[in-house]
Amino acid sequence: FGGTSVASAERYRHVAALLLQRGEATQVAVVSAMKGVTDALIALANLAARGDVQWRQAWQVLRERHHLAATELLGAQAAGLLAWLDGRFDQLAGLLEALAVIGGLPEEVLERVQGLGEVFSAQLLGGYFNQLGHACAVLDAREVLVVAHGELGVSVDWARSAANLASWRADNPQARVVVTGFVARDGQGRITTLGRNGSDYSGAIFAALFQAAELHIWTDVDGVLSADPRVVPEAVTLDTLSYDEACELAYFGAK
C-alpha cells in the first residue's frame, strides 16, 4: 500500500478492512509512509543541516500528525503507541540537533531519517489490527532485508535476507504481518533505502521471501493506462498487458 492509501486514520481503517476481507492463511502487508511524510523528513534534515531553527516547528507538526492518527485509530488504547512514537521522535530530534551542530547532512544520516515514515506507518497499522483483536506482528525490514547498491540499482542478498527472516519468524509466528516498505540495511549493517518509490519493490521482495502465492499492489488508478492522462486526457485503461509489454514499458521509463 502506497502513501496515499495510508494518508490518514480513515485510510488505515480502509486498508485494514480490505485485508480482513481476504482469507489467506498467511497475509503480509507492506506499507509506505503516510502521504508526504518522506518529503517532510527530508526537508527536516535539510533545515537542520543548514542551521535553520524552523526544523523544530516542522518536527512538531510531523509528530502531531502521527499522534493524531494513532489517537483516531486506537482511541483509549493509544497510550502505548503514543509513547513509542514519542521515543522515536525524541531520537529524531536528537539526530537533527546533531546535524545543526555539524552543519552538514551525511548520506548515511539522510538514509536513516528518510525511512522513518515507513517505520511509523507499519506500527500504526499493526497496532490497529491488534486493537481489533487480530494478532499482528510488525516487521521492521531493517531487521531482515540486506541489499547492495550497484550501477543497475538495488540488489537483494537473498541468502542473508531469507536467513534473517527465518530467524525473525521463529519469534514472530503470527499469520498476519505488517512490513515496512522502502527501508533495509546494506552488507555492513548500515541503514539504507531502496530509493524513492521503493515500496513497490519492497512488496515484490517480501512476496518472494515469504514465498507468497500472490502479490497485490494497491494504487490510485484502476490499471495500466494507454498514456499519461495528465498529458493525454483521452487515455484509456488497457484490458490486457503481457509480461513482455510490461517489461518494454518499464525499460523505457513508464510509471
Side-chain angles (χ1 to χ4, degrees):
F1 292 90
T4 53
S5 297
V6 292
S8 65
E10 178 186 0
R11 301 310 300 162
Y12 280 109
R13 281 192 286 267
H14 180 65
V15 165
L18 289 171
L19 293 171
L20 289 171
Q21 287 173 8
R22 301 180 61 85
E24 294 93 348
T26 301
Q27 186 182 79
V28 181
V30 178
V31 292
S32 296
M34 297 173 73
K35 183 181 180 181
V37 166
T38 302
D39 286 338
L41 287 165
I42 293 171
L44 269 179
N46 281 301
L47 283 171
R50 294 199 303 268
D52 190 330
V53 296
Q54 292 186 35
W55 74 258
R56 297 183 183 276
Q57 181 180 356
W59 170 88
Q60 184 63 29
V61 169
L62 200 58
R63 176 178 172 274
E64 289 177 356
R65 180 180 177 189
H66 286 84
H67 260 240
L68 178 62
T71 302
E72 290 184 357
L73 277 174
L74 304 185
Q77 300 179 21
L81 181 53
L82 290 174
W84 183 90
L85 284 168
D86 281 341
R88 298 309 184 277
F89 272 94
D90 287 346
Q91 291 175 3
L92 174 59
L95 193 57
L96 295 171
E97 287 172 351
L99 290 177
V101 171
I102 65 175
L105 180 55
E107 184 66 24
E108 188 172 340
V109 176
L110 177 60
E111 290 282 275
R112 178 181 293 268
V113 170
Q114 69 178 339
L116 289 174
E118 279 72 13
V119 178
F120 302 152
S121 182
Q123 288 290 336
L124 286 166
L125 182 58
Y128 181 58
F129 273 125
N130 285 314
Q131 190 255 5
L132 292 176
H134 298 277
C136 179
V138 176
L139 170 56
D140 185 336
R142 298 174 300 182
E143 299 178 27
V144 167
L145 183 58
V146 181
V147 302
H149 294 269
E151 292 182 0
L152 298 179
V154 177
S155 60
V156 178
D157 186 329
W158 292 105
R160 289 180 63 182
S161 299
N164 290 342
L165 179 60
S167 177
W168 184 87
R169 281 300 268 171
D171 296 325
N172 299 272
Q174 294 92 327
R176 187 176 302 282
V177 182
V178 176
V179 185
T180 58
F182 186 48
V183 294
R185 287 187 187 268
D186 65 17
Q188 288 71 50
R190 296 172 299 202
I191 291 173
T192 188
T193 65
L194 304 185
R196 292 306 302 271
N197 302 311
S199 288
D200 284 359
Y201 187 21
S202 293
I205 290 169
F206 279 101
L209 287 173
F210 276 90
Q211 299 181 332
E214 294 180 331
L215 165 64
H216 293 251
I217 295 178
W218 289 78
T219 185
D220 300 322
V221 295
D222 293 327
V224 178
L225 297 173
S226 59
D228 186 338
R230 294 167 299 184
V231 179
V232 185
E234 60 271 22
V236 298
T237 303
L238 301 177
D239 292 330
T240 60
L241 188 69
S242 74
Y243 185 79
D244 287 342
E245 289 169 327
C247 286
E248 285 294 300
L249 286 168
Y251 177 81
F252 287 106
K255 295 183 66 176

